[in-house]
Amino acid sequence: MSGFQIILTDKDFSKLKEIKCFHSDNEYKKLEEEIEHAKVVPEFEISKDVVTMNNQITLLILGKNEKINVTIVYPCDADFFQHKISVLSTLGMSLLGLKVNDVIDWSSPTGETKKLKILGVQSQSAIKNVVH
C-alpha cells in the first residue's frame, strides 16, 4: 500500500471492483489491497486536486527536475504512446486517489526507485475544453 489513505469516487470504486472479473488474481490483488481501505465518496464531492480515473496528472520526478503527464485509465484503454497508463500498473495504482503535492516513492519496472510529486490534476472535461 502507498502509505496514504486513498480517496475514490463511488463510480470508480464500483468499476474497479468489476475489473477483477476480467483479470487474473495476480494482476488484481495489488489493486484490491490499495482500494480496500480507500475513502469512497460521491463523485460530486471529490476535490478537484484528487487523482481519479481518466484525469491527466502532471508529475515531477524529484532529483531530475523532469515533468511528465500521464492519464490513469482502465486496462482496455491503456496506450503507452499516448501516456495512458493502466490502473493495474504499479504507477497507476500508486497514484490513484492521491492529491496534488503528495510525494511518493515509486519503483519503476526497471527496479529504479523514483520520487514523484503530483503537481497537477486535470479532468478529461477540462482537457477537452482546452483542445477544442
Side-chain angles (χ1 to χ4, degrees), residues 94-112:
S94 297
L95 295 172
L96 186 65
L98 300 183
K99 294 182 269 187
V100 170
N101 292 320
D102 282 345
V103 176
I104 60 165
D105 290 321
W106 171 66
S107 295
S108 73
T110 63
E112 181 183 3

Side-chain angles (χ1 to χ4, degrees), residues 32-66:
E32 190 171 44
E33 290 171 8
E34 287 288 327
I35 65 175
E36 186 176 303
H37 302 291
K39 178 180 178 183
V40 180
V41 298
E43 193 168 2
F44 65 87
E45 286 184 15
I46 202 147
S47 174
K48 300 292 183 203
D49 68 345
V50 173
V51 175
T52 60
M53 295 298 297
N54 297 305
N55 284 16
Q56 185 179 53
I57 304 111
T58 302
L59 301 169
L60 176 65
I61 302 172
L62 298 174
K64 291 188 177 184
N65 205 28
E66 180 183 337

Side-chain angles (χ1 to χ4, degrees), residues 51 53-55 57 59 68-75 77-96 106:
V51 175
M53 295 298 297
N54 297 305
N55 284 16
I57 304 111
L59 301 169
I68 56 172
N69 291 312
V70 297
T71 303
I72 301 174
V73 297
Y74 296 102
D77 297 321
D79 184 332
F80 176 80
F81 297 106
Q82 292 184 14
H83 302 275
K84 293 181 177 181
I85 59 170
S86 170
V87 68
L88 294 179
S89 70
T90 58
L91 183 57
M93 283 185 254
S94 297
L95 295 172
L96 186 65
W106 171 66

